[in-house]
Amino acid sequence: MRTAVCPGSFDPVTNGHLDVFARAAAMADEVVVAVLVNKKKASLFTVAERIEILNEVVAPFGNVRVDSFDGLLVDYCNEHGIKAIVKGLRAISDFDYELQMAQMNYRLAEVETLFITTNPLYSYLSSSLVKEVATFGGDVRGLVPQQALERLDEKLGRTTSGGG
Ligand code: PNS
């Protein structure tokens, strides 16, 4: 596999995402983590903030870079000569919608989708739950990378990222 794209909102990136990036990076020559700009859902972090966090998080990988896209993912793939989308599958509940999107993306542009089964350590994890738990004062250490934890603390005006 040459270049693969890992698309998402990453609001914020979680350790589950990071696990998928690492495993995709072990298979592909290059992995592009692509942040969706035109998301309808309200976000906690701006696209610029999410990209900044992601850039820090993927810095240790030699073959992972961050970009953003607007509109259809397959248009981004075509513009950049990308033939494969890589996504994590956490549970059967993800499957229906992911299958639909994968089939639609193939129908639209013959872009393949490859699924990596999420590490069971992170199978319950989502950005939405992390935001909810953190917003109400819960401890999300170990669920998101340190860089995301620090930004969550800043955004929510709290301190958990210092250690302990
Ligand atoms: O992290 P998310 O929000 O679950 O990621 C969803 C994402 C960005 C992968 C998906 O919504 C997407 O690909 N959006 C781009 C618009 C698009 O191509 N829609 C048609 C999908 S078949």
Side-chain angles (χ1 to χ4, degrees):
M1 200 196 307
R2 290 168 298 231
T3 302
V5 63
C6 290
S9 304
F10 307 114
D11 185 39
V13 60
T14 68
N15 283 343
H17 294 131
L18 191 52
D19 179 58
V20 172
F21 302 160
R23 290 160 66 187
M27 291 188 297
D29 295 331
E30 180 190 45
V31 173
V32 181
V33 175
V35 182
L36 175 64
V37 172
N38 60 328
K39 186 86 185 172
K40 299 218 174 66
K41 267 191 296 188
S43 59
L44 179 63
F45 292 98
T46 65
V47 171
E49 287 169 333
R50 284 179 262 156
I51 289 175
E52 190 178 286
I53 298 169
L54 281 164
N55 270 323
E56 291 174 21
V57 165
V58 304
F61 297 98
N63 62 340
V64 184
R65 62 184 174 83
V66 182
D67 198 0
S68 61
F69 74 104
D70 209 348
L72 288 179
L73 178 59
V74 290
D75 288 341
Y76 176 85
C77 291
N78 277 338
E79 281 157 26
H80 295 84
I82 296 173
K83 301 278 178 216
I85 299 163
V86 173
K87 293 222 176 151
L89 262 190
R90 288 169 297 195
I92 196 72
S93 49
D94 281 342
F95 185 73
D96 277 352
Y97 188 46
E98 289 296 343
L99 180 67
Q100 267 187 306
M101 285 197 286
Q103 289 174 327
M104 179 61 87
N105 285 330
Y106 188 81
R107 166 73 176 73
L108 290 172
E110 296 189 6
V111 176
E112 296 285 3
T113 302
L114 304 164
F115 293 108
I116 288 177
T117 53
T118 299
N119 184 325
L121 278 176
Y122 306 123
S123 59
Y124 60 92
L125 192 52
S126 69
S127 299
S128 309
L129 268 187
V130 163
K131 280 184 285 192
E132 185 169 321
V133 170
T135 300
F136 292 112
D139 187 354
V140 294
R141 283 175 298 181
L143 303 182
V144 295
Q146 181 67 20
Q147 295 90 338
L149 189 63
E150 286 168 15
R151 300 315 202 291
L152 272 170
D153 281 355
E154 276 166 33
K155 194 64 94 176
L156 301 172
R158 60 186 216 149
T159 48
T160 58
S161 54

